[in-house]
Amino acid sequence: ISRDGLIKAVGQADAIRSQFSGASFDSVIDCSGKCILPGLVDAHTHPVWAGDRVHEFAMKLAGASYMEIHEAGGGIHFTVEHTRNAPEEELFNTLRHRLERMRLAGSTLVECKSGYGLNLETELKMLRVIERAKRSMDIGISSTYCGAHSVPKGKTATEATDDIINNHLPKLKELKLSGEIDVDNIDVFCEKGVFDLDSTRRILQAGKDMGLQINFHGDELHPMKSAELGAELGAQAISHLEEVSDEGINAMARAKCAAVLLPTTAYMLRLKQPQARKMLKEGVIVALGSDFNPNAYCFSMPVVMHLACVNMKMSMNEALAAATINAAYALGKSDTHGSIEAGKQGDVIVINSTRWEHLIYQFGGHQALIDYVIVKGKIVYRNEKCGIM
């Protein structure tokens, strides 16, 4: 990897040695007996929020559904209230800490959503925090405006939609032009009782018109025809898809719209598992995300890959592709990230094992397995324990 952070060459050790015999290196890592993998890509997270929801876990275990908790004042609205009241500095410090934990687990590119503000002021506060992390941390970030994550109290879905289109998006466009906040994606929670198909279409189209990639939540709790809508609008990716229709799967395959599957969510909420096998058979580009949020508190893509293999019946090869190159594709970054190829960004992880499969096979074992995390050719994490394991 050269000093500009890009991969200079990939190949057999002897060929590389002779090709670069005259070059000098800032650091050399002996990877004998180890595996080198692309940095993992987490295609779906909600990492900016205040207000822990650990108390809801007991309610879920006792059988309360997502919507029952939502209606009892919990869920998104609980987090929204705490996030609105949290100072920007507090949100930035917790985000930084969470991203560091993701990086320790091998993630080098992470999609980060707003969506716990639901008013312009707090959504912008969240996006500013994500922007600060993007500029100050050694980790790749794809930022997503998710102001349509839920309908704010006191508004109808139509009123919320109008507010987003008439007020939120023009302000975002202004801040993008002035270089203050650079948002990559637009997201809507398309769901029964939240944003219906028509409202979702209006918001996504308005976002697309100002140059944002469409990357939204769809077909999670009820079949909404979200996949069909996303394919029609040219969405880069759709997340969840537990209740997707067969027509929706075919439409996504034809449109090359990635499916971001979230095994943590189905596991936590005891939902029907997404149909990964059917999607793969039909030719859909399947990606994975941790869905890190107060409801699914998971930083680890190795754990996500394990759940994808066991619960969604993916092979280890499919899971690795879904957590690297396909997840990069879901973020529109597969030309620069997600695989070890000359010319791509030098994001790699070194595994302290002769077989890379240990990263998935050892359920929750990444702390002792990941030896190095390298972002843009810079060692951002070195595991002191690995050498003595």
Side-chain angles (χ1 to χ4, degrees):
I1 300 171
S2 56
R3 286 199 180 98
D4 61 5
L6 301 179
I7 297 169
K8 197 80 179 157
V10 181
Q12 294 292 331
D14 295 345
I16 297 282
R17 273 195 201 97
S18 63
Q19 189 182 342
F20 294 93
S21 56
S24 64
F25 294 91
D26 295 335
S27 54
V28 177
I29 301 172
D30 181 3
C31 296
S32 307
K34 299 183 179 182
C35 287
I36 302 169
L37 292 174
L40 302 177
V41 180
D42 190 340
H44 183 123
T45 81
H46 301 259
V48 185
W49 47 269
D52 211 314
R53 274 167 35 200
V54 66
H55 60 282
E56 286 181 13
F57 191 40
M59 294 164 70
K60 288 192 198 93
L61 296 179
S65 74
Y66 179 89
M67 279 304 182
E68 282 165 353
I69 292 170
H70 192 70
E71 280 152 17
I76 288 177
H77 289 301
F78 178 88
T79 305
V80 167
E81 193 181 330
H82 285 78
T83 306
R84 284 180 178 178
N85 294 330
E88 193 167 314
E89 207 55 37
E90 180 196 323
L91 290 176
F92 176 69
N93 287 330
T94 52
L95 171 63
R96 193 176 59 194
H97 175 68
R98 288 163 187 164
L99 288 170
E100 279 167 359
R101 284 184 69 181
M102 290 176 185
R103 200 170 59 186
L104 293 183
S107 291
T108 56
L109 172 61
V110 177
E111 185 262 6
C112 299
K113 301 177 191 293
S114 71
Y116 291 118
L118 309 185
N119 60 23
L120 181 56
E121 182 194 350
T122 315
E123 288 296 314
L124 291 179
K125 177 170 70 171
M126 295 179 76
L127 290 169
R128 273 197 305 272
V129 163
I130 294 168
E131 192 68 32
R132 274 179 72 183
K134 200 191 273 195
R135 292 178 188 187
S136 65
M137 289 186 71
D138 290 314
I139 188 168
I141 290 174
S142 177
S143 65
T144 301
Y145 163 73
C146 185
H149 194 198
S150 185
V151 178
K153 285 181 177 171
K155 279 201 166 108
T156 64
T158 306
E159 288 165 345
T161 301
D162 291 341
D163 184 36
I164 287 165
I165 291 168
N166 299 328
N167 300 312
H168 292 214
L169 292 179
K171 185 66 182 172
L172 270 186
K173 190 174 183 179
E174 182 191 313
L175 292 170
K176 198 174 166 86
L177 288 170
S178 68
E180 284 176 67
I181 298 176
D182 189 19
V183 178
D184 302 298
N185 315 288
I186 184 152
D187 191 350
V188 175
F189 187 16
C190 181
E191 184 54 70
K192 191 175 170 184
V194 193
F195 290 91
D196 66 12
L197 213 59
D198 184 52
S199 298
T200 301
R201 176 193 295 276
R202 289 179 58 210
I203 295 168
L204 293 177
Q205 187 62 57
K208 185 181 180 179
D209 291 345
M210 59 173 270
L212 299 177
Q213 280 185 142
I214 296 176
N215 191 333
F216 71 112
H217 291 62
D219 294 331
E220 179 186 356
L221 304 171
H222 298 92
M224 297 285 295
K225 294 201 184 311
S226 305
E228 291 90 326
L229 174 70
E232 181 198 325
L233 294 178
Q236 185 71 24
I238 305 169
S239 291
H240 281 292
L241 301 164
E242 287 87 351
E243 297 288 342
V244 68
S245 69
D246 291 351
E247 296 76 23
I249 290 174
N250 291 328
M252 286 178 72
R254 284 196 304 273
K256 294 191 164 39
C257 170
V260 179
L261 305 184
L262 308 169
T264 51
T265 318
Y267 166 75
M268 280 284 303
L269 297 177
R270 296 169 172 156
L271 300 175
K272 188 167 82 180
Q273 293 288 332
Q275 301 177 71
R277 288 261 49 90
K278 185 171 174 61
M279 290 179 192
L280 288 161
K281 182 169 171 276
E282 298 298 333
V284 175
I285 297 160
V286 172
L288 289 170
S290 67
D291 197 13
F292 172 79
N293 73 76
N295 172 55
Y297 207 101
C298 175
F299 294 112
S300 167
M301 286 304 289
V303 168
V304 169
M305 289 190 283
H306 179 97
L307 289 172
C309 292
V310 175
N311 290 340
M312 301 195 317
K313 301 181 170 58
M314 290 174 75
S315 72
M316 285 191 283
N317 287 14
E318 287 165 346
L320 182 65
T324 53
I325 190 68
N326 290 2
Y329 175 87
L331 303 177
K333 289 183 180 285
S334 53
D335 53 344
T336 51
H337 293 71
S339 59
I340 300 174
E341 295 178 69
K344 283 196 170 185
Q345 190 167 300
D347 292 4
V348 297
I349 57 177
V350 179
I351 309 294
N352 190 29
S353 169
T354 52
R355 294 191 58 146
W356 68 266
E357 290 93 340
H358 272 280
L359 193 61
I360 297 176
Y361 162 67
Q362 290 191 24
F363 189 32
H366 64 262
Q367 288 94 336
L369 267 173
I370 296 176
D371 207 343
Y372 291 90
V373 178
I374 296 162
V375 176
K376 286 188 184 170
K378 178 179 171 186
I379 297 169
V380 295
Y381 170 61
R382 176 163 187 210
N383 191 343
E384 300 298 336
K385 295 194 192 84
C386 268
I388 52 170
M389 284 292 173

